[in-house]
Every structure is written in structure tokens, then in C-alpha cells.
């Protein structure tokens, strides 16, 4: 290959240009000028994603004899641009310019190779020819690293060769043999667990249900109280800091203390440096005394003894408006818990937005105040749905296909149902106009590591706050006697931030109208989410919806085939179509469902079998016979709108057994309720029993399994 084809058009340093030591890189990203020293190069200014973690290259981790050569190639990678012809000859993931996160990952992996070279006695990259690279690849195989891990390393070594050739003083790094012959010979055998499939597990319904209950409750019902408490806390602190002590304020302070001591009332305290002491800001702000006056009185032995004997809360004088089942959720909010409640409110807003829109975590953290304007009425006076306008980061590319760290404006906004709008409005009250909704300066709240510069809270911070929110919610559930709303641990580990998108797709595909919907119909949510992404058919959430729907379809027909083999009967107008679909189940055993296979499965009309646990039936979907889509062109069923007379319905013996259980439960409830309501429930129970009687009379059983 002609190495001159690697080069781009960006200006690079000439032979006399100093490339080491303090200098300014003007070829950075988003117009950033990056000043670095001898040992550390900060890459965070090159990354304009507001939620990105700050990274730096620590050069003292490289062996001294190889350090300067790797620094030169890294300089070239930051400033240089690969030619279009070089990029076209490689995988679709290659770009002319390398993004800041990729630079960091690449140099981090180069450091491991530099250590290996040093251990082999290789003191310069001039000795790093194709043979040396092949030996390093063989050594990686011997370490037992995974296929995907080794593949990433080999890509970085291809970059080492490419950017060395592109630099002002090429060192002669050899062309990797896998760039010539292909990569498979240098990787471990592929396994089903290493197919590139997104293996993120969805959150279980038992966890997601109460988690969403508490998140929406905090946003919708408790936010006003929390924000009012924060305003009162800040007022008291400001008053305490601004107060100038006078004889009158000292008299008021003594009177306040003496009255409490005489009445044996608890004293307002907080925990500071691990010990219980008087909350001086609360007392000073409440009384109007100065902090100095409070501290002097606090220093007396009798006062310290009183604080130790009578530690008490610091209730804020605000009216509690939030309620659960008609009862206030708090008698009062304490001065000391206000910042904790604000942190929990931030976590709740993130959960609501991330889960009910399908945004990626970085997209949520990149939203700004004003991103969800109130829509204007249409010509008929109806209000359209709210939409959230923001940026996409993970897939953001410029016209040349290079990653844009600052993101690009989303072509189609996200649709926003009511809880999402409420969460955005709450966050807008916490940050300045036009600021990031999760601006780290507004949401720091006195806990955790202080971030520097601009940007949002880090994903790691949000992850921790979600776990703290769960602990708080479970404590509240215990205090309020709501054991049924305790958030249980998820079987697959911590909640994190990445799992909400897959969970949304899973619940839409498998739990239409189910418990986790919390009166938000998932059929409606699927329509709005899908419609919002329609103009971007390649978007991740659309792929996830297809994958989860295809998985649900395969699970349904596989389970049905197992049931038929075990003598289970099927009834209904679509029973024979369901049986025919189940006959194809064996060919899908062990299938890994990717976006591509999902499209094939969903486009096959013979496989269109959907279980509906809410209505206790299966839909063997045929567009021409569907009553849920009389006036639309939808190519999938609306399982939240099943019609009992539809020709696409089928039921198994399992559904019939569940209908009998439902009828018994309805009769039990009817016996405890007054006339009209009880009569209606008994009527519904009778309908359930008629369906089961019809099922028993018309059920089809496969001949070879018939009794």
C-alpha cells in the first residue's frame, strides 16, 4: 500500500517544529485550545459532550525509552486527519479524525504494548515491524483475553502504524499483518456471548414497577414541597450569614434557648464531623441572631450538655402539600434533609426522562432548560404532544463521517408524555435559563467529588444517586406502611443508567397495559415513541423495540410448541394459524436476535404470534382481520386495544385456567361490594366462565399428543 495515501490535508509540524514540552494544540475539537505539560495531557477540553468523563493521558506510565516516540504519534493522532481513501478501505467504524474518547482508549492500550516492548528489550518503535506486531498479537492470545478485547487492541495497533506514517518524522512502524490478511487469524474463536449483541439486561418488572412509582411520585407529588423547603433553607442560611449581632438579637437568642430548656423541648441539632451538635445556621436564621452569638452561647458547658441530652430536628416552616392516599407524606421537612431530598429529586427526574423517552444517558444529561416548550394549539384548538429537543452524541457525525463530541441536534425530537414534561419543568426550576438541566454546579448539593469546569453531572454520579434514591424510597415505604412499594434488588445487579432504554422496549413488547405502566398505557407509549423516531429509522430505540418484539414472538411460539407437545389444547378463531406458527419453533432454538434477524422475524406473517398477558389471550396477527386497527395502517397489533370479537384471537389451556382464577377473584370481590358494583363484577365473572366453557368445547389438541 502507498503510505502517502494515509495522509490528510491538515497542517502538521515541520522538521524544525518542537513537538514536546508545553505548547498549544490548535487542531483540537470544538475550537478547543489545549495546553499540556510534560507529564499529563488533559483530553477533556477536546470533548464537548457535557456528560463525558474527564480524561488525561499520564505519560509517566510509559517506559522512558519509548515515551517520546509514543508522544509524537499521539500528537499526530490528535492533529492529523487520515485520507478518505485510507478510511474507505477499512471497517465502517474508521473515521478521518479520531475522537477524544478514542484517543484516550488508544493511548491507554498503547501503554500496555510499550511495557511489553520494554520487557522484550525493544527500546524504540523503529524495531516495531510487522513481525513484532504479530508476536504481540500472539502474546495477547496467550493471556486469555476475550475476542472483543483483543480486537480493540489490534485496531489501536493499526492506528499506531497509520499515524506514524502520517507524522512529520515517521519511525517506521510496520503494517500490521491483520490489516493485510484479515483479523480472524489473530483472534480467539467467536462465541455466542461475543457476537456484538447488546447484552444489557432489562430491569425486572418487580423492580421497575415500584422504582417508577416512587420516581413519578417524587416528581409529581413531592417536588413542590422539596423546592419550597430548599428555598426556606437557603433563606435561613442567608439570614444567618448576613445577620449582625445586636443586644436585641442576643436577648432573642437567650429567650429562645431558655424557653426550650424550661419546657424540656428538643434542641435543633445536626451531625457535623461525626458528632451531634447545634445547627447554628438554623438557629441564627430563625431567631435573627448572628452566628458569632450562637457559637459563643454554644461554647458554654451547660449548653453543650443540653444539646447532648435533647437532640432534636430542625423543621422548616413551610406548608406540606404532597400527600399519599390523601394524607401528608411529611409532618414537616427538616433543614438537615433538604439537600438529600434534592439529590433524590434529581435522580427521580433522570429515571422518569430516561425510561419514558428511551433516551441514552448522555442524551438526557445533555438536555438544556427550554428543551420542552409548551406546544401551541392547532387549528382545531387541540394541544399537540409535548416534544423534547436535544442532541445526540453517540452517533453524532459530521459530513465527513467523523465523530462530533459536541453532538448534533436531533433530527426528530423525542415525544414527551406528562411525567416527562413534569420532570423537565422541575429541573428547569433548579438551573438558570438556558443551562443544562443537570448542570453539575446546580446539582452538586454538597456531597461527592466537586467537578471542575462546565458540563453536566457525570453518569457515574447519577448512577450513585439512583442507588441512594432506592435506599431512601425503601425507607419511606417502611415508614409510611407501604411494604408493597418496596423496590426489590434486580436479579441482574445494580440499576445503572444504561438499562432503562432496553427495559422500556422490553415492557412495551411484553407487558401491554401491565403493572409497570402505572396508568400510562404502553400501547399509547409505543405509538408515541415509535412515531417520534419514525423519521430516523436507524435509531437505537427503534432497533431495541424490534429486537424485544421479535424475542417475545420467538418465546411465544416456542412455549406454544412445548405446550402442544405436552397435550395442551388451543381454541379460538385463530387457533389453527397459531398451531402452524408453533411448528416453526425448532428452527429458532438458540437464535441470537440482532436488529437484522428481528426485522426478518417481524416481516414474516407466519410468525406473527403475540402473547397478551393482560387480556389472557394470544394475538395471531393478520392485518386484514385485525379489529384493533380498523382505520390505521399499522403493521403490528395494538395489544392494549384487543377486541373480543377479533378473528385473530387464540387461547391455550393456560389462558383458560387463568380466566377461571380471574372469575373466582371477581366473585370474591363482588361479595364484599354493594349492589350495582357487585352485579357488574359478577357479570364480568360470568363472561370469563363462558369463554372458558367455549374453550373446553372447541379446543384443538395435536393428534399425537391427544389422550
Amino acid at each position: 500500500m502507498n503510505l502517502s495515501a494515509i495522509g490528510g490535508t491538515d497542517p502538521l509540524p515541520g522538521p524544525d517544529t518542537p513537538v514536546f514540552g508545553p505548547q498549544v494544540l490548535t487542531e483540537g475539537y470544538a475550537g478547543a485550545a489545549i495546553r499540556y505539560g510534560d507529564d499529563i495531557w488533559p483530553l477533556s477540553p477536546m470533548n464537548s459532550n457535557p456528560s463525558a468523563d474527564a480524561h488525561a493521558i499520564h505519560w509517566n506510565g510509559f517506559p522512558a525509552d519509548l515515551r517520546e516516540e509514543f508522544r509524537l504519534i499521539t500528537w499526530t493522532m490528535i492533529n492529523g486527519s487520515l485520507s478518505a481513501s485510507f478510511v474507505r478501505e477499512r471497517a465502517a467504524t474508521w473515521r478521518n479524525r479520531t475522537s477524544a474518547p478514542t484517543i484516550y482508549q488508544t493511548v491507554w492500550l498503547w501503554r500496555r504494548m510499550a511495557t511489553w516492548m520494554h520487557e522484550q528489550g525493544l527500546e524504540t518503535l523503529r524495531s516495531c515491524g510487522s513481525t513484532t506486531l504479530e508476536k504481540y498479537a500472539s502474546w495477547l492470545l496467550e493471556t486469555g483475553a476475550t475476542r472483543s478485547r483483543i480486537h480493540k487492541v489490534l485496531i489501536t495497533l493499526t492506528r499506531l502504524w497509520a499515524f506514524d506514517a502520517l507524522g512529520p518524522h515517521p519511525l517506521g512502524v510496520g503494517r500490521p499483518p491483520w490489516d493485510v490478511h484479515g483479523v480472524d487469524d489473530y483472534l480467539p474463536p467467536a462465541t455466542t456471548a461475543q457476537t456484538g449483541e447488546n447484552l444489557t439486561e432489562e430491569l425486572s418488572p418487580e423492580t421497575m414497577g415500584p422504582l417508577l412509582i416512587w420516581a413519578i411520585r417524587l416528581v409529581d407529588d413531592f417536588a413542590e414541597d422539596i423546592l419550597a423547603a430548599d428555598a426556606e433553607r437557603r433563606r435561613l442560611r442567608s439570614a444567618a450569614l448576613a445577620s449582625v449581632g445586636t443586644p436585641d438579637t442576643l436577648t432573642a437568642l437567650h429567650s429562645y434557648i431558655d424557653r426550650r430548656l424550661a419546657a424540656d423541648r428538643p434542641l435543633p441539632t445536626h451531625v457535623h464531623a461525626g458528632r451531634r451538635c447545634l445547627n447554628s445556621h438554623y438557629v441564627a436564621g430563625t431567631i435573627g441572631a448572628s452566628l458569632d452569638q450562637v457559637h459563643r452561647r454554644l461554647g458554654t458547658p451547660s449548653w453543650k450538655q443540653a444539646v447532648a441530652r435533647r437532640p432534636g430536628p430542625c423543621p422548616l416552616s413551610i406548608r406540606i402539600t404532597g400527600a399519599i392516599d390523601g394524607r401528608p407524606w411529611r409532618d414537616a421537612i427538616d433543614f438537615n434533609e433538604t439537600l438529600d431530598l434534592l439529590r433524590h429529586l434529581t435522580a427521580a427526574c433522570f429515571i422518569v426522562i430516561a425510561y419514558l423517552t428511551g433516551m441514552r444517558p448522555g442524551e438526557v444529561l445533555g438536555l438544556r432548560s427550554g428543551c420542552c416548550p409548551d406546544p401551541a394549539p392547532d387549528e382545531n384548538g387541540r394541544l399537540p404532544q409535548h416534544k423534547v429537543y436535544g442532541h445526540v452524541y453517540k452517533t453524532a457525525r459530521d459530513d465527513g463521517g467523523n465523530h462530533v463530541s459536541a453532538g448534533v441536534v436531533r433530527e426528530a425530537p423525542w415525544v414527551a408524555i406528562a411525567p416527562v414534561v413534569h420532570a423537565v419543568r422541575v429541573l428547569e426550576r433548579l438551573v438558570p435559563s438556558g443551562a443544562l438541566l443537570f448542570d453539575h454546579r446546580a446539582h452538586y448539593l454538597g456531597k461527592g467529588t466537586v467537578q471542575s469546569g462546565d458540563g453536566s453531572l457525570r453518569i457515574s454520579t447519577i448512577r450513585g444517586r439512583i442507588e441512594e434514591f432506592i435506599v431512601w424510597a425503601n425507607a419511606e415505604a417502611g415508614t409510611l406502611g407501604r411494604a408493597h412499594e418496596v423496590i426489590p434488588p434486580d436479579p441482574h445487579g445494580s440499576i445503572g443508567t444504561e438499562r432503562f432504554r432496553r427495559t422500556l422496549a422490553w415492557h412495551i413488547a411484553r407487558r401491554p397495559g401491565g403493572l409497570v405502566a402505572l396508568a400510562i398505557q404502553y400501547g399509547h407509549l409505543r405509538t408515541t415513541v415509535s412515531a417520534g423516531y419514525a423519521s430516523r429509522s436507524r435509531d437505537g430505540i427503534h432497533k431495541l423495540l424490534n429486537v424485544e418484539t421479535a424475542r417475545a414472538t420467538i418465546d411465544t411460539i416456542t412455549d406454544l410448541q412445548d405446550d402442544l407437545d405436552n397435550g395442551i389444547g388451543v381454541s379460538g378463531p385463530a387457533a389453527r394459524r397459531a398451531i402452524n406458527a408453533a411448528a416453526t419453533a425448532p428452527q429458532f432454538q438458540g437464535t441470537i436476535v440482532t436488529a437484522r434477524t428481528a426485522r426478518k422475524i417481524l416481516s414474516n406473517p407466519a410468525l406473527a404470534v403475540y402473547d397478551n398477558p393482560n387480556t389472557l389471550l394470544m394475538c395471531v396477527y393478520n392485518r386484514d382481520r385485525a379489529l384493533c386497527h380498523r382505520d390505521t395502517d399499522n403493521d403490528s397489533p395494538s395489544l392494549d386495544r384487543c377486541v373480543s370479537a377479533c378473528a385473530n384471537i387464540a387461547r391455550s389451556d393456560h389462558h383458560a385456567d387463568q380466566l377461571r382464577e380471574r372469575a373466582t377473584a371477581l366473585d370474591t370481590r363482588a361479595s364484599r361490594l354493594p349492589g350495582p358494583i357487585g352485579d357488574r363484577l359478577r357479570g364480568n365473572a360470568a363472561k370469563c366462565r363462558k369463554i372458558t366453557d367455549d374453550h373446553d368445547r372447541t379446543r384443538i389438541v395435536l393428534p399425537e399428543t391427544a389422550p
Side-chain angles (χ1 to χ4, degrees):
M1 179 178 185
N2 183 0
L3 295 185
S4 63
I6 297 175
T9 58
D10 288 345
L12 295 173
D16 299 324
T17 302
V19 295
F20 304 127
Q23 57 185 287
V24 175
L25 301 184
T26 57
E27 300 294 332
Y29 293 74
I34 304 138
R35 188 174 297 277
Y36 59 87
D38 284 340
D39 295 324
I40 299 175
W41 292 7
L43 294 180
S44 54
M46 298 168 59
N47 193 345
S48 300
N49 185 335
S51 65
D53 290 330
H55 290 304
I57 298 172
H58 295 263
W59 290 106
N60 55 10
F62 281 76
D65 48 3
L66 291 162
R67 184 181 304 150
E68 298 304 313
E69 293 179 347
F70 275 101
R71 278 157 57 99
L72 173 59
I73 298 177
T74 302
W75 191 97
T76 305
M77 182 166 55
I78 292 173
N79 290 280
S81 176
L82 298 171
S83 70
S85 59
F86 179 85
V87 172
R88 278 197 303 269
E89 293 175 4
R90 278 150 189 85
T93 54
W94 278 80
R95 300 286 179 258
N96 301 89
R97 298 295 297 268
T98 310
S99 68
T102 301
I103 290 172
Y104 174 78
Q105 180 71 12
T106 297
V107 177
W108 190 86
L109 293 173
W110 283 352
R111 187 174 68 178
R112 187 180 185 188
M113 181 189 174
T115 302
W116 176 85
M117 290 180 63
H118 181 73
E119 293 170 350
Q120 301 297 311
L122 304 175
E123 299 178 352
T124 174
L125 283 173
R126 290 183 174 87
S127 61
C128 189
S130 298
T131 302
T132 300
L133 293 173
E134 187 167 19
K135 288 181 180 178
Y136 184 61
S138 299
W139 178 80
L140 289 172
L141 283 172
E142 294 172 0
T143 66
T146 64
R147 181 183 177 92
S148 61
R149 178 69 171 174
I150 295 178
H151 194 190
K152 288 179 182 178
V153 175
L154 299 187
I155 291 173
T156 68
L157 299 183
T158 304
R159 286 198 185 97
L160 184 69
W161 162 69
F163 285 106
D164 173 55
L166 181 63
H169 307 296
L171 299 168
V173 174
R175 182 179 183 181
W178 50 85
D179 190 69
V180 179
H181 306 296
V183 74
D184 284 339
D185 290 342
Y186 301 89
L187 298 175
T191 66
T192 49
Q194 299 169 344
T195 60
E197 171 68 10
N198 185 349
L199 299 179
T200 302
E201 297 287 351
E202 70 279 349
L203 296 167
S204 70
E206 293 75 20
T207 299
M208 191 66 232
L211 178 63
L212 189 57
I213 286 174
W214 279 106
I216 292 179
R217 178 176 287 152
L218 215 66
V219 171
D220 286 357
D221 301 333
F222 301 164
E224 288 296 331
D225 294 341
I226 295 172
L227 295 175
D230 180 56
E232 178 64 8
R233 178 194 64 84
R234 286 186 281 108
R235 186 192 71 79
L236 290 174
R237 283 185 58 85
S238 297
L241 293 170
S243 179
V244 177
T246 67
D248 290 341
T249 59
L250 184 59
T251 300
L253 175 62
H254 289 313
S255 175
Y256 175 82
I257 295 172
D258 293 341
R259 286 197 309 270
R260 286 184 169 266
L261 292 176
D264 200 28
R265 294 173 59 191
L267 300 169
T269 61
H270 68 153
V271 176
H272 179 69
R275 63 187 183 90
R276 178 69 61 176
C277 56
L278 182 76
N279 192 324
S280 54
H281 285 89
Y282 177 82
V283 173
T286 301
I287 303 304
S290 69
L291 286 172
D292 184 60
Q293 289 175 328
V294 175
H295 291 153
R296 283 203 305 269
R297 179 64 190 268
L298 174 63
T300 63
S302 61
W303 180 234
K304 289 183 177 180
Q305 293 171 7
V307 169
R309 289 196 309 270
R310 302 184 182 90
C314 304
L316 296 170
S317 57
I318 63 166
R319 187 172 68 90
I320 299 298
T321 60
I324 298 180
D325 293 339
R327 295 182 298 174
W329 69 292
R330 280 280 199 286
D331 294 329
I333 292 180
D334 195 275
F335 182 99
N336 301 315
E337 70 173 335
T338 306
L339 292 182
D340 286 336
L341 289 176
L342 281 172
R343 282 190 288 269
H344 300 326
L345 183 59
T346 301
C349 289
F350 181 91
I351 291 167
V352 168
I353 296 173
Y355 179 63
L356 293 178
T357 64
M359 293 186 199
R360 294 182 173 92
E363 293 167 347
V364 178
L365 297 177
L367 296 176
R368 292 186 176 273
S369 175
C371 65
C372 185
D374 290 326
D378 60 20
E379 61 275 8
N380 298 318
R382 293 190 296 266
L383 286 175
Q385 287 179 315
H386 281 80
K387 293 181 173 61
V388 179
Y389 298 85
H391 290 68
V392 291
Y393 296 95
K394 181 177 179 180
T395 57
R397 299 284 183 267
D398 61 18
D399 292 339
N402 299 304
H403 181 257
V404 180
S405 66
V408 295
V409 176
R410 186 178 176 78
E411 294 177 12
W414 292 278
V415 292
I417 56 179
V420 175
V421 178
H422 296 165
V424 171
R425 295 291 179 263
V426 167
L427 292 168
E428 286 176 333
R429 295 170 63 179
L430 293 171
V431 300
S433 176
L436 292 163
L437 291 181
F438 291 90
D439 187 291
H440 76 87
R441 290 162 295 195
H443 293 284
Y444 167 61
L445 304 175
K447 188 175 182 180
T449 303
V450 179
Q451 294 177 206
S452 60
D454 299 328
S456 68
L457 293 172
R458 298 289 182 252
I459 289 177
S460 57
T461 302
I462 289 292
R463 188 182 301 121
R465 289 196 181 183
I466 291 174
E467 296 301 323
E468 293 172 359
F469 170 72
I470 292 172
V471 172
W472 173 85
N474 286 343
E476 288 292 303
T479 300
L480 298 171
R482 305 184 74 80
H484 60 288
E485 290 179 354
V486 168
I487 305 169
D490 185 81
H492 298 290
S494 62
I495 302 300
T497 59
E498 301 284 348
R499 300 173 67 188
F500 290 114
R501 280 164 50 82
R502 180 164 291 280
T503 305
L504 171 66
W506 189 92
H507 282 294
I508 288 175
R510 297 175 183 254
R511 293 295 177 101
L515 169 65
V516 78
L518 304 175
I520 303 167
Q521 292 187 15
Y522 269 107
H524 169 67
L525 187 56
R526 174 163 195 148
T527 301
T528 56
V529 169
S530 298
Y533 286 93
S535 64
R536 291 187 57 134
S537 60
R538 294 178 296 170
D539 197 279
I541 190 66
H542 223 143
K543 291 180 180 178
L544 284 178
L545 285 172
N546 287 342
V547 167
E548 291 302 333
T549 303
R551 284 175 172 170
T553 298
I554 290 175
D555 289 347
T556 299
I557 63 174
T558 301
D559 291 345
L560 179 58
Q561 181 60 46
D562 290 343
D563 287 343
L564 291 169
D565 290 342
N566 291 314
I568 297 296
V570 181
S571 71
R576 294 195 179 278
R577 285 192 285 131
I579 293 172
N580 291 336
T584 66
Q587 65 181 278
F588 294 106
Q589 295 290 342
T591 298
I592 301 296
V593 179
T594 63
R596 179 178 297 178
T597 57
R599 288 193 298 270
K600 292 181 179 179
I601 291 169
L602 297 178
S603 63
N604 187 343
L607 303 178
V609 183
Y610 303 85
D611 189 36
N612 192 342
N614 193 48
T615 53
L616 301 180
L617 55 80
M618 287 181 292
C619 174
V620 189
Y621 189 68
N622 182 307
R623 174 68 187 84
D624 296 334
R625 303 182 185 186
L627 297 183
C628 60
H629 291 316
R630 289 177 172 175
D631 302 318
T632 67
D633 295 326
N634 287 21
D635 55 3
S636 60
S638 289
L639 298 180
D640 59 314
R641 298 171 55 191
C642 282
V643 180
S644 60
C646 185
N648 290 334
I649 287 177
R651 286 188 176 88
S652 71
D653 291 347
H654 297 310
H655 293 124
D657 292 340
Q658 291 170 324
L659 280 167
R660 292 186 184 93
E661 294 173 1
R662 178 176 293 181
T664 301
L666 289 172
D667 282 337
T668 301
R669 289 179 57 197
S671 65
R672 302 169 183 167
L673 295 170
I677 299 177
D679 291 343
R680 185 161 58 251
L681 292 177
R682 278 186 284 272
N684 289 336
K687 292 179 182 177
C688 290
R689 290 195 175 92
K690 182 179 185 308
I691 293 173
T692 61
D693 291 342
D694 291 341
H695 169 83
D696 292 341
R697 188 179 65 256
T698 62
R699 62 193 285 269
I700 301 172
V701 180
L702 292 185
E704 60 270 26
T705 59

